[in-house]
Amino acid sequence: MNASCKKTVVNAPVTKVYEQWARIEDLPKFITPLRNVRRIDDTHFSFVFHIILQIPDRRIAWRTLSNGFMSGAVCFEPRSNQRTEVTLKVRSVFDPANLSCRVEEYLLNFKQLVENEKLQVSNHQNETGKTL
């Protein structure tokens, strides 16, 4: 079993960062090997993984149910009102040589997604002169 743990700081409040990750259907936006994730119920998804722990604004943990074994957890730690440290831990029987690079890539993609969305909302507010 291979494991990797990486961290990044996202320039957004913890609630916004947590909510983005918790939109499981959006995982393919930053975890690029995923093509399509569809919600089956509150804890099961079409990618065949199961959320085993979810603590709002703090932590989400999961494990796969088929195609080998993989488990992971993402933790959210506020660093200020507008900054959140995100820690992603993944254990997998897959791709041992690239696991660490992939975890780092997923975090970078996630950071860019959240920060670009924040920038787009801010730009829209500036264009319209209104707060959304």
Side-chain angles (χ1 to χ4, degrees):
M1 180 75 50
N2 299 291
S4 180
C5 178
K6 299 289 181 180
K7 296 180 181 192
T8 192
V9 174
V10 177
N11 294 315
V14 68
T15 298
K16 178 177 176 36
V17 174
Y18 172 84
E19 287 173 355
Q20 177 63 56
W21 197 291
R23 281 183 252 160
I24 302 299
E25 296 90 338
D26 284 349
L27 286 177
K29 290 182 179 179
F30 56 94
I31 300 178
T32 52
L34 296 178
R35 297 290 178 236
N36 184 20
V37 177
R38 185 179 42 82
R39 183 179 295 272
I40 295 169
D41 62 32
D42 285 344
T43 61
H44 293 86
F45 300 85
S46 62
F47 182 63
V48 195
F49 67 93
H50 177 72
I51 294 176
I52 55 176
L53 176 68
Q54 193 164 6
I55 303 169
D57 294 347
R58 298 290 297 160
R59 184 178 179 95
I60 300 171
W62 67 91
R63 65 183 169 97
T64 59
L65 300 176
S66 65
N67 299 324
F69 178 77
M70 183 179 79
S71 65
V74 60
C75 302
F76 309 91
E77 184 69 37
R79 291 295 172 226
S80 72
N81 288 340
Q82 294 299 315
R83 292 172 50 92
T84 303
E85 183 177 272
V86 179
T87 303
L88 177 58
K89 300 174 187 175
V90 176
R91 292 181 52 179
S92 177
V93 295
F94 301 115
D95 206 10
N98 293 322
L99 183 61
S100 184
C101 291
R102 287 183 178 227
V103 169
E104 192 168 13
E105 174 190 336
Y106 303 155
L107 277 178
L108 177 60
N109 292 345
F110 179 74
K111 175 182 173 69
Q112 290 173 342
L113 176 69
V114 173
E115 291 178 357
N116 287 341
E117 184 178 292
K118 182 179 171 184
L119 183 61
Q120 289 171 0
V121 168
S122 177
N123 286 343
H124 182 70
Q125 289 172 347
N126 290 339
E127 291 170 6
T128 63
K130 298 177 185 175
T131 302
L132 299 177

